[in-house]
Amino acid sequence: AELLSSLPEDNKYRPRIIDIELSTRLKSIGAIVLEGAKWCGKSTTAEHHSNSAVFMDDPRRRSQYMIFAEDNPDIILNGETPRLIDEWQLAPIIWDAIRYTVDHRNGMGQFILTGSAKPANREKISHSGTGRFAWLRMRPMALFESGDSTGDISLSKLFSNPRMSIGCEAKSDLQRIAFLICRGGWPVVSELPEDVALNPAKDYYDAVVNVDIRQVDGVDRSVERAKRLMRSYARFQGTQTSIRQIVEDMNGGDPNVVEDKTVRNYLDALRSMFVVEDMPAWNPNLKSKTAIRTADTRYFVDPSIATAAMGIGPGDLMNDLKAFGLLFETLCVRDLRVYAQSLAGDVYHYRDKNGLECDAVVHLPNGDYALIEIKLGGEKLIEDGANSLLRLASKIDVNRMKHPSFLMVLTATGTFAYRRKDNVLVVPISTLGA
């Protein structure tokens, strides 16, 4: 919050956590690639940090830009820096021209490239861009960014001072969290009244299955298969479900509807559009040999995609607490990823052959890490989460790696954030911030 408040004032722009990282990285690299799902705010953020811009998907100029990219890229690249090249992946051949320009100009922060998909024609890129480009991932808004979390419990401050006092009041209830899951973190929703704020997530889903999944690489994929896959993926949020299980769920008992390779192809397309962002497994040093499950955990980049795919709303979540819990986990993972990225950290999951698991492990480059269990709330679930964290912490070989910085049960509800007598933190998501 302190860093965000230090950014330049602009009544038309709401700062995001990534603004701090973007403004810092522009001082040390020639070009930055800002990538992420459509509608998450990349163009707005990049334009805020740019002094000139070209929008490659402008329908009035797109065909001309494609010609310039091939024959005269300077027309696209010349302009006051930092220069924004929005949706650059539409003309991937321009990558090498940007790299060459960065090499032959003095100064950092020459270009910001934004993209909502990986480039389909990667063969047109001949150089990796090492040393000239930095990559930043932008996601939909975390609750702190949308104003739905106080941010009183700072992830960065917990890592720097794990014993800090964390007592503060929380004001969210289950109904509000259910609404926030279905609304999602799309920037447009912060400007909308609540009675229509659920519509953007449905519009996003419709665009993915009807248009984007076919346009991303020119493959004419089936709309109905895309809908089936996204529905199935939504049902398996927060699990390590295999491709074979997803196929069986999609087929509904008919083995001839879709094959494994088809599902893999569709998932590759969704990943290239940053719609799906699975979580890798964490592999710690343990005191005794234990087989660690290495399958990724299934997640959409935002929980509202899952609710839109299943055609459900806040009331449905309130009537199905198991589904509510899995989708709340997706919301928490989204927020933890946003906050961890500001610390150059990553988020993993842990599960071993004995069923011991940890929903999220925030791991920083210096080896510090935190173990986090995600629960809806209530004394029993909090107790279960705390006991699971303590068991996992006791198995870690602290002669070969650090003690965990802190253990946290992240909840949907609760009157207060507090520290238990066993030092496990109990933190409602509406109090967590970067």
Side-chain angles (χ1 to χ4, degrees):
E2 294 167 359
L3 287 170
L4 286 177
S5 65
S6 70
L7 293 173
E9 290 287 336
D10 184 344
N11 292 332
K12 297 181 180 179
Y13 181 74
R14 183 172 191 164
R16 304 275 295 274
I17 292 171
I18 201 169
D19 281 283
I20 300 164
E21 188 175 7
L22 180 55
S23 61
T24 301
R25 296 303 298 276
L26 283 168
K27 300 174 184 177
S28 62
I29 197 75
I32 289 179
V33 183
L34 184 63
E35 55 186 14
K38 285 187 176 181
W39 287 13
C40 75
K42 300 181 304 299
S43 298
T44 301
T45 295
E47 194 171 7
H48 184 71
H49 290 265
S50 303
N51 289 317
S52 66
V54 56
F55 297 88
M56 300 297 290
D57 62 348
D58 183 340
R60 300 166 298 176
R61 299 179 173 87
R62 179 171 175 172
S63 60
Q64 194 65 54
Y65 286 153
M66 296 303 111
I67 295 172
F68 290 153
E70 293 271 359
D71 300 332
N72 196 354
D74 285 347
I75 294 178
I76 295 175
L77 303 187
N78 287 342
E80 190 176 355
T81 62
R83 183 159 173 80
L84 166 61
I85 313 294
D86 189 60
E87 298 295 351
W88 75 273
Q89 79 283 351
L90 297 175
I93 196 171
I94 207 171
W95 176 273
D96 288 326
I98 295 171
R99 188 265 307 167
Y100 180 86
T101 302
V102 168
D103 275 350
H104 290 81
R105 283 183 185 174
N106 292 322
M108 301 299 176
Q110 297 291 316
F111 298 100
I112 303 175
L113 284 66
T114 61
S116 53
K118 302 287 187 183
N121 300 319
R122 297 178 189 176
E123 69 276 4
K124 293 189 176 183
I125 299 174
S126 62
H127 195 285
S128 68
T130 302
R132 289 85 163 182
F133 294 84
W135 281 259
L136 295 182
R137 176 67 63 89
M138 191 169 182
R139 299 176 176 88
M141 294 184 299
L143 294 185
F144 176 58
E145 295 177 302
S146 63
D148 296 292
S149 170
T150 63
D152 288 334
I153 308 302
S154 163
L155 196 69
S156 62
K157 289 182 178 178
L158 283 174
F159 273 109
S160 62
N161 183 16
R163 296 291 179 178
M164 64 178 283
S165 173
I166 69 159
C168 68
E169 189 173 358
K171 296 182 179 179
S172 280
D173 56 24
L174 276 180
Q175 287 87 351
R176 178 63 180 171
I177 296 298
F179 171 78
L180 294 175
I181 287 171
C182 297
R183 186 201 69 182
W186 313 105
V188 67
V189 301
S190 62
E191 308 296 330
L192 297 176
E194 289 195 2
D195 60 338
V196 295
L198 301 183
N199 291 336
K202 299 172 185 176
D203 296 337
Y204 179 91
Y205 165 75
D206 287 340
V208 168
V209 297
N210 289 299
V211 180
D212 294 344
I213 201 166
R214 301 162 74 185
Q215 287 186 346
V216 62
D217 54 9
V219 176
D220 189 17
R221 296 182 178 88
S222 162
V223 173
E224 184 54 38
R225 283 181 176 176
K227 288 180 178 180
R228 284 192 179 204
L229 171 58
M230 292 186 71
R231 260 196 314 271
S232 181
Y233 218 80
R235 286 195 286 267
F236 291 124
Q237 289 292 280
T239 72
Q240 291 86 47
T241 303
S242 68
I243 294 293
R244 170 83 329 237
Q245 290 173 295
I246 293 172
V247 169
E248 291 173 356
D249 183 68
M250 290 175 64
N251 287 341
D254 184 348
N256 299 316
V257 176
V258 65
E259 298 178 349
D260 292 28
K261 64 179 181 180
T262 302
V263 170
R264 293 182 189 279
N265 174 273
Y266 279 55
L267 281 177
D268 285 343
L270 292 174
R271 290 191 186 98
S272 73
M273 295 186 292
F274 308 103
V275 174
V276 165
E277 187 177 6
D278 293 340
M279 181 190 288
W282 185 56
N283 191 3
N285 293 309
L286 302 177
K287 294 177 181 177
S288 58
K289 289 185 178 181
T290 301
I292 297 173
R293 306 303 187 197
T294 58
D296 288 355
T297 303
R298 308 290 183 183
Y299 291 112
F300 283 118
V301 73
D302 191 273
S304 66
I305 304 174
T307 58
M310 291 189 289
I312 61 175
D316 300 296
L317 293 181
M318 294 299 296
N319 291 326
D320 185 348
L321 292 184
K322 181 178 180 181
F324 194 158
L326 293 174
L327 292 170
F328 173 64
E329 185 177 314
T330 304
L331 180 145
C332 291
V333 167
R334 179 201 67 196
D335 285 17
L336 287 169
R337 282 170 164 162
V338 172
Y339 304 150
Q341 183 173 316
S342 70
L343 303 173
D346 294 299
V347 184
Y348 302 92
H349 77 270
Y350 174 88
R351 186 175 184 181
D352 62 30
K353 68 174 183 179
N354 300 315
L356 181 60
E357 59 184 354
C358 182
D359 295 323
V361 180
V362 178
H363 201 283
L364 305 188
N366 65 358
D368 289 348
Y369 64 95
L371 307 180
I372 301 174
E373 272 286 278
I374 298 170
K375 302 292 183 183
L376 284 180
E379 289 186 11
K380 183 181 185 306
L381 289 178
I382 290 172
E383 188 68 26
D384 290 345
N387 289 337
S388 180
L389 292 170
L390 292 167
R391 286 198 304 274
L392 176 55
S394 70
K395 295 180 64 174
I396 293 172
D397 187 349
V398 294
N399 293 314
R400 301 174 64 192
M401 62 187 297
K402 296 180 178 181
H403 289 274
S405 295
F406 56 89
L407 312 180
M408 177 190 292
V409 179
L410 192 56
T411 67
T413 62
T415 307
F416 299 98
Y418 61 95
R419 184 185 298 275
R420 290 164 42 111
K421 291 182 179 179
D422 54 17
N423 277 323
V424 176
L425 310 179
V426 179
V427 177
I429 189 66
S430 61
T431 66
L432 189 66

